[in-house]
Amino acid sequence: PEKHCAPHRRPPKSGPMLSIEDLSVRIAGRLLIEGADVRIPEGSRIGLVGRNGSGKSTLFNVITGQVAAETGEIGIPPRWRVGRLAQEAPNGPESLIDVVLQADVERTTLLHQAETEQDPHKIGDIYARLNEIGAYAAPAKAASILSGLGFSEADQQRPCSEFSGGWRMRVALAAVLFAEPDLLLLDEPTNYLDLEGTLWLQDHLAKYPRTMIVISHDRDLLDTSVNFILSLENKKLTLYNGGYSDFERLRNERLMLDQKMAKKQEAQRKHLQAFIDRFKAKATKARQAQSRVKMLEKMGPVTAMVTDDVTPIRIPEPEKLLSPPIIAIDDADVGYEPGRPVLKNLTLRIDNDDRIALLGSNGNGKSTLVKLIAGRLEPTDGTVTRASKLKIAYFAQHQLDELHMGDSVYDHLRRLLPDQPESKVRAAAGALGFSGQAADTKVESLSGGEKARLTLGLATWGGPHLLILDEPTNHLDIESRAALIEAINDFPGATILVSHDRHLLDACADRLWLVANRAVTPFDGDLDDYRRRVLSDRSEPAAKRHEKDDWTAKANGKPADARPRVNVKALKKQVEKAEAEIERLTTHIETLDAQLADGTLFARDPAKATTLTRSRADSADALAKAEEDWLAAGAALQGASV
């Protein structure tokens, strides 16, 4: 019987680091990791990459102790806190901000102790520790993270249970980022984010001050947010310096070198074997032949890196391109309730060679727009004109759930080709990447990437003129995403993309449409410009609100001066009021600190000491709030003066 035991956990041999030594992991009889060794220094930001099913998530489970390993040791510094993105979304009556704040267990515990503790000496220690860990600045920090992930100030006060599963997963991500563990483990953190949230997350992770390992198939994230790539390939772990582009170059160089070494060794083997075969029967050459036999036995094989070739993705071409425009939208409104349009006054045109990426935060109407274009939603006002015989292929993630789980790939294609012989149906399955017996695999047994490949193949069957892809990469690994990019770029028809994968948009889109404020307008700039705008807008939402107004006005073709007039006099009063409050609170805190500096106070008058300590904590909290108000008002005043 196979022996399974938890990896021995011990402090690393030298310095704070995560160390993995001779680790082997077997799941359901399948060996995923074999004799793996790697050492990750403190403060490293690691991108863990590998094909789907190679064992990346299993490695996380082993590190956290959820899965037992066959052999090996994992060294984690004893004082390190390990944090991992929760697999289940929070769903309770607490507000979003409270859910995130509770993720800092020490702060939550100390605040509770401060309310219940009676010993004045312990109370002093509690408040000292709260001050040391920055407990009073925590609400502002939590709010900043939630804002970066797309939650407005009003949203942050709403109960968690009011949000959908995808948005609640964002709350779980905000919570683990706020807790800032010594070892942060993130498994595909962008799956529930839009492009705007992904851009913010990339910037946030690039500044993460502790050790981080992130599993991701997002090339842009792996190039901007990490400084090492940890590759899980052929059951081994290999650490590379740099981002994904550096890893890809070094890996290819190593692959070529290994192939050359393997060929060279094979030539040496053939030469030795030829000598042995030629002279082993001759007495005069017997000793030399025997010597070469020993050399051959000692020659260990070079283990060349084996790469799994990805089946190309093919999008069928339309039989004939149509006369442009293929779609014209004129002064249209669209929505789901009478009198409440999601998008208004749309005037858009789509031609055969268009490659359009839709920008804008989730909830602004991107999905509504693509449903209008695809004919799945009719305008409530205005007109939509489509070319005669127009074929539209529409792929969205929710369509994966519409597959028949108990049917095979062959069964799905048979419904598309009811009159074709079996050979034609199986040939069609092979064209989608399901050759031979793979065509008989039940959908319930397919991986997420295989389901996505099948759904895309079914959607594009027959050769569309317009391809609409709504988050097509969620279940695809990096190699499959590269195959999708090639397929889109080879496709001669028009394409509309909604994706949080910036690399896909960079590689495939040449036009950007911004969906915001119930309008759709061309974005004047490239994705670098858009990234800067998103980060500026989400880093300081209150202070930067005037910039957002300028940006939106520009996107809608209106001059910045058309925005509502700002009351400069009122802003000046806000600044002066905040300054006076800061000065008052600072003086008050200094007075309290002088009184608390008396070492005999807690023993002489514990009640007074407790009162002063709590007053000091309340004043510090109020000071942080006053400083935030001062910054916001000052920034608004500066913007109004420009």
Side-chain angles (χ1 to χ4, degrees):
E2 297 172 351
K3 182 181 179 182
H4 293 269
C5 59
H8 177 58
R9 295 173 178 274
R10 49 158 187 74
K13 290 182 178 178
S14 60
M17 67 170 64
L18 170 68
S19 62
I20 298 173
E21 296 184 13
D22 195 28
L23 185 71
S24 294
V25 182
R26 191 183 300 270
I27 299 295
R30 181 185 170 207
L31 190 62
L32 295 176
I33 302 173
E34 182 179 20
D37 291 281
V38 70
R39 286 168 177 76
I40 297 173
E42 183 180 25
S44 301
R45 300 188 309 279
I46 308 292
L48 177 57
V49 302
R51 297 298 302 275
N52 283 341
S54 60
K56 302 184 298 296
S57 297
T58 299
L59 178 60
F60 273 14
N61 290 335
V62 175
I63 292 172
T64 57
Q66 295 172 274
V67 167
E70 193 169 70
T71 61
E73 295 182 338
I74 292 181
I76 301 177
R79 298 186 65 180
W80 273 21
R81 294 173 299 120
V82 179
R84 185 177 183 182
L85 178 60
Q87 299 299 303
E88 294 185 6
N91 186 21
E94 299 85 4
S95 69
L96 303 191
I97 192 76
D98 284 340
V99 171
V100 174
L101 288 171
Q102 289 167 11
D104 188 337
V105 177
E106 182 184 13
R107 176 182 180 275
T108 302
T109 302
L110 288 171
L111 288 174
H112 177 71
Q113 291 175 347
E115 295 295 326
T116 58
E117 182 59 58
Q118 299 298 318
D119 186 331
H121 296 286
K122 290 182 179 179
I123 291 174
D125 292 340
I126 290 169
Y127 279 104
R129 179 58 182 165
L130 283 169
N131 189 57
E132 182 182 343
I133 66 175
Y136 303 108
K141 175 183 174 184
S144 175
I145 293 173
L146 283 167
S147 175
L149 292 174
F151 295 99
S152 67
E153 292 180 17
D155 287 339
Q156 295 174 25
Q157 304 305 321
R158 290 170 55 195
C160 194
S161 56
E162 291 186 5
F163 293 84
S164 67
W167 283 97
R168 284 187 281 114
M169 284 306 298
R170 293 195 191 200
V171 179
L173 176 58
V176 73
L177 293 176
F178 170 77
E180 214 167 78
D182 301 285
L183 175 59
L184 173 64
L185 304 176
L186 297 177
D187 193 342
E188 292 289 358
T190 63
N191 269 2
Y192 299 96
L193 302 182
D194 52 17
L195 176 63
E196 293 69 24
T198 298
L199 293 173
W200 177 88
L201 180 65
Q202 290 176 5
D203 185 68
H204 187 83
L205 294 183
K207 302 170 184 174
Y208 192 74
R210 295 180 171 84
T211 307
M212 173 189 79
I213 306 177
V214 55
I215 297 171
S216 180
H217 296 301
D218 187 323
R219 284 189 61 139
D220 201 51
L221 183 148
L222 294 172
D223 267 334
T224 59
S225 304
V226 305
N227 50 18
F228 292 95
I229 295 292
L230 182 61
S231 172
L232 176 52
E233 189 172 24
N234 299 326
K235 304 181 183 66
K236 301 294 184 184
L237 289 170
T238 307
L239 192 63
Y240 294 82
N241 271 303
Y244 189 83
S245 296
D246 300 309
F247 154 73
E248 195 171 48
R249 174 179 53 80
L250 293 169
R251 178 177 176 272
N252 288 339
E253 290 174 357
R254 180 182 167 193
L255 175 61
M256 292 178 64
L257 181 62
D258 283 354
Q259 287 175 338
K260 288 179 181 178
M261 288 296 295
K263 289 180 180 178
K264 183 178 179 181
Q265 187 185 72
E266 185 60 26
Q268 290 176 330
R269 283 180 172 276
K270 287 181 178 179
H271 179 75
L272 290 171
Q273 190 64 53
F275 184 92
I276 294 167
D277 293 342
R278 182 178 178 185
F279 296 112
K280 63 182 178 181
K282 292 187 177 182
T284 56
K285 295 289 186 179
R287 180 170 294 181
Q288 292 92 326
Q290 189 61 34
S291 174
R292 281 160 175 76
V293 169
K294 291 180 180 179
M295 288 173 60
L296 195 60
E297 290 173 349
K298 290 180 179 179
M299 187 181 292
V302 172
T303 305
M305 292 175 67
V306 179
T307 58
D308 297 315
D309 293 330
V310 177
T311 303
I313 295 174
R314 296 184 178 88
I315 301 172
E317 298 183 7
E319 290 183 5
K320 180 182 178 181
L321 294 179
L322 305 174
S323 299
I326 57 175
I327 295 181
I329 302 175
D330 185 33
D331 200 23
D333 294 356
V334 61
Y336 303 92
E337 299 178 30
R340 299 185 63 182
V342 175
L343 299 170
K344 293 186 63 178
N345 304 324
L346 302 180
T347 299
L348 305 167
R349 169 185 173 129
I350 301 173
D351 293 331
N352 284 309
D353 58 350
D354 278 338
R355 296 286 193 276
I356 301 166
L358 301 185
L359 309 177
S361 301
N362 281 356
N364 278 356
K366 297 192 298 293
S367 294
T368 301
L369 176 62
V370 297
K371 288 176 183 176
L372 175 69
I373 293 171
R376 301 192 175 198
L377 200 59
E378 292 300 320
T380 56
D381 199 5
T383 60
V384 178
T385 305
R386 297 179 179 84
S388 176
K389 299 181 181 180
L390 175 67
K391 293 182 182 178
I392 300 175
Y394 179 41
F395 172 89
Q397 282 299 319
H398 66 81
Q399 291 175 305
L400 272 65
D401 298 328
E402 297 173 5
L403 295 171
H404 301 277
M405 294 295 113
D407 288 353
S408 67
V409 173
Y410 174 88
D411 294 332
H412 283 79
L413 286 164
R414 168 53 74 189
R415 281 191 284 271
L416 272 181
L417 306 167
D419 301 323
Q420 296 296 324
E422 180 173 350
S423 59
K424 288 285 184 69
V425 179
R426 291 198 173 275
L432 298 185
F434 301 94
S435 300
Q437 294 182 346
D440 297 317
T441 305
K442 302 291 186 185
V443 168
E444 62 190 5
S445 300
L446 297 178
S447 67
E450 289 169 332
K451 290 177 184 175
R453 182 184 284 268
L454 173 59
T455 304
L456 179 61
L458 296 174
T460 59
W461 191 262
H465 302 96
L466 171 61
L467 179 64
I468 301 175
L469 300 177
D470 191 348
E471 295 293 356
T473 64
N474 270 5
H475 297 285
L476 302 182
D477 55 29
I478 291 178
E479 291 81 0
S480 296
R481 293 184 187 203
L484 177 62
I485 288 171
E486 288 188 16
I488 293 171
N489 288 336
D490 288 341
F491 176 62
T495 304
I496 296 177
L497 295 166
V498 179
S499 178
H500 64 260
D501 188 327
R502 179 181 163 178
H503 181 69
L504 174 77
L505 301 183
D506 265 328
C508 298
D510 53 21
R511 297 180 64 190
L512 304 176
W513 285 359
L514 177 63
V515 184
N517 299 310
R518 297 198 294 175
V520 180
T521 52
F523 180 75
D524 184 19
D526 58 17
L527 285 170
D528 284 330
D529 297 320
Y530 188 64
R531 175 181 180 274
R532 284 190 287 270
R533 293 288 190 178
V534 168
L535 295 181
S536 173
D537 187 48
R538 294 198 173 189
S539 61
E540 295 180 78
K544 297 291 183 179
R545 195 169 291 122
H546 66 286
E547 291 187 8
K548 181 179 179 181
D549 294 339
D550 287 352
W551 176 29
T552 303
K554 183 178 180 182
N556 288 325
K558 300 176 184 177
D561 291 339
R563 66 182 183 267
R565 185 178 300 277
V566 178
N567 190 331
V568 176
K569 187 175 181 180
L571 287 175
K572 286 183 178 179
K573 285 187 176 181
Q574 290 180 24
V575 171
E576 291 169 358
K577 181 180 178 181
E579 286 176 343
E581 182 68 359
I582 289 171
E583 184 175 353
R584 183 187 71 79
L585 288 168
T586 301
T587 302
H588 182 55
I589 289 173
E590 289 174 352
T591 301
L592 292 173
D593 285 343
Q595 292 176 282
L596 290 168
D598 182 356
T600 65
L601 178 63
F602 284 92
R604 179 167 41 83
D605 193 348
K608 181 179 180 181
T610 300
T611 300
L612 292 175
T613 301
R614 289 179 177 172
S615 177
R616 204 272 183 207
D618 292 340
S619 298
D621 204 6
L623 178 60
K625 176 66 169 58
E627 289 173 345
E628 288 178 16
D629 293 342
W630 177 75
L631 286 170
L637 178 61
Q638 183 180 3
S641 304
V642 175

